[in-house]
Amino acid sequence: MAAALRRVCGGVTGRVSLRSCSQQRAASTGRTFLLNRWPLPLLLVSSGGYLGYHKYKWREQPEGAPPVLATPTQVALYRSFPTRLLSRAWGRLNGVELPTWLRKPVYSLYIWTFGVNMQEAAVEDLIHYRNLGEFFRRRLKPAVRPLCANSCLISPADGKILHFGQVKNSEVEQVKGVTYSLENFLGPQKGRENDSSSSFRDRLLSSPDNDLFHVVVYLAPGDYHCFHSPTNWKVELRRHFPGSLLSVNPGVARLVKELFCLNERVALTGQWQHGFFSLTAVGATNVGSIRVYFDQELQTNVPRYSKGSFHDRSYVAADNLLSKAAGKGGVASGEGEGVVLQKGAAVGEFNLGSTIVLLFEAPKDFSFNLQAGQRIRVGEGLGSL
């Protein structure tokens, strides 16, 4: 009797054991499947939560306190995100033609989300825009952006003024209290590299009676995405810096030092009536391309690039002497006497909102008619003499 009971109990125990092992294997297999199936989403969610938590902490800093910047580790974590790949994918998505019946609801949602004023658009009928890219790059009615005749310098884009003022100690403020190196931003300048007795800022100036000024205009996703010439000037050089495509949202600009130097950008440099002048279009996340209308050779956000490189294209014949050793991948070519741009002329466009940085030489009595954080539109005056 005892033996029979042991056999029965043993069988039951064996079956329970087998069932338990089976359940454990199933649970283990399920966990393994989830870990193998969802590593990237889990990484993005956890990293996004981490960055969001720290951004919340940074926002709670008291007014007037020195800025608390992201650590090198936090910046490296952010830069490890595949923002260039995502931006190229977004650019391709923007080019997909939408069915006619879907265009109005999609664009209407975008208009509602970002506060787009379609009454200013040259074409108000949403059905006309075949894809998101065409909608982002919509043109405006000619009369809605009159040029300020009383200002020698006008806004190149619709957007928000992040910062403006004089450039001191060769450091430029991207937002209040957070700076970047002028030399890292523009790269070495032709004919000025050997003069080591003065600062990089001073070497840009053509006269000791002048000073160097800057303006930063941030374009939000709902803004008009074309940028225009802020004055009458001549473009002598286009310099393309491949790089990261981090967000240039003002909240991020307050956290990441040298943000504008890390990101891909296209700098147009030349001369205006008072000396040195430059307009730089800075790329950002989901900005699949930066286009300059008079330069069909420019290609931005390419899959591969050499870190720290830049690529030059000269529009002045004398610049054939430009040293190719100025930077990794530096390339120069001479063509004519420069590109002459008239005040208000269309220069280029972003695939989505980003940032324009103006750096220019002017007499010391130049004064801005701006306030940090104000909204501005193409053609409105920036300052006067």
Side-chain angles (χ1 to χ4, degrees), residues 80-275:
S80 69
F81 279 41
T83 52
R84 291 179 64 85
L85 176 62
L86 292 174
S87 298
R88 284 194 296 274
W90 179 254
R92 291 184 179 181
L93 179 63
N94 287 348
V96 175
E97 184 169 346
L98 297 177
T100 305
W101 62 268
L102 189 58
R103 295 174 189 176
K104 191 169 183 178
V106 169
Y107 301 146
S108 296
L109 177 61
Y110 188 92
I111 291 168
W112 177 80
T113 302
F114 296 107
V116 179
N117 183 1
M118 285 303 294
Q119 293 182 350
E120 296 180 338
V123 179
E124 296 184 40
D125 185 4
L126 300 180
I127 303 299
H128 171 80
Y129 301 100
R130 295 174 297 177
N131 53 55
L132 285 167
E134 287 188 359
F135 179 72
F136 294 146
R137 298 187 297 271
R138 64 193 176 277
R139 298 298 186 262
L140 300 182
K141 295 172 183 175
V144 300
R145 294 293 184 271
L147 305 184
C148 178
N150 298 325
S151 178
C152 61
L153 199 64
I154 61 172
S155 175
D158 286 8
K160 179 181 179 180
I161 299 293
L162 289 191
H163 208 273
F164 63 91
Q166 292 181 329
V167 176
K168 300 178 181 178
N169 303 320
S170 299
E171 289 283 323
V172 188
E173 287 194 290
Q174 58 193 26
V175 293
K176 186 175 181 180
V178 182
T179 64
Y180 56 93
S181 163
L182 179 61
E183 185 169 8
N184 290 342
F185 184 70
L186 291 178
Q189 299 297 298
K190 176 183 69 69
R192 297 182 171 107
E193 296 91 313
N194 296 327
D195 184 7
S196 58
S197 60
S198 57
S199 67
F200 183 86
R201 166 193 166 278
D202 293 338
R203 296 199 297 271
L204 293 178
L205 301 177
S206 61
S207 169
D209 296 327
N210 291 343
D211 213 331
L212 195 66
F213 300 85
H214 76 104
V215 184
V216 182
V217 183
Y218 167 70
L219 290 73
D223 286 323
Y224 167 60
H225 296 315
C226 296
F227 50 93
H228 295 245
S229 175
T231 190
N232 298 324
W233 66 302
K234 181 175 71 173
V235 183
E236 298 174 345
L237 179 72
R238 179 264 287 163
R239 176 166 287 169
H240 172 214
F241 295 85
S244 301
L245 286 175
L246 309 180
S247 171
V248 291
N249 181 282
V252 177
R254 283 193 291 268
L255 304 177
V256 181
K257 184 178 174 62
E258 300 261 336
L259 173 63
F260 295 161
C261 297
L262 297 176
N263 270 15
E264 182 160 12
R265 59 198 182 279
V266 177
L268 303 176
T269 59
Q271 298 290 319
W272 74 319
Q273 60 178 328
H274 301 295

Side-chain angles (χ1 to χ4, degrees), residues 281-310:
V282 183
T285 307
N286 288 341
V287 179
S289 66
I290 301 172
R291 183 182 175 193
V292 175
Y293 296 141
F294 56 79
D295 192 337
Q296 300 302 313
E297 294 183 6
L298 176 65
Q299 292 186 345
T300 58
N301 195 14
V302 295
R304 296 181 181 275
Y305 70 95
S306 176
K307 186 177 180 181
S309 66
F310 60 81

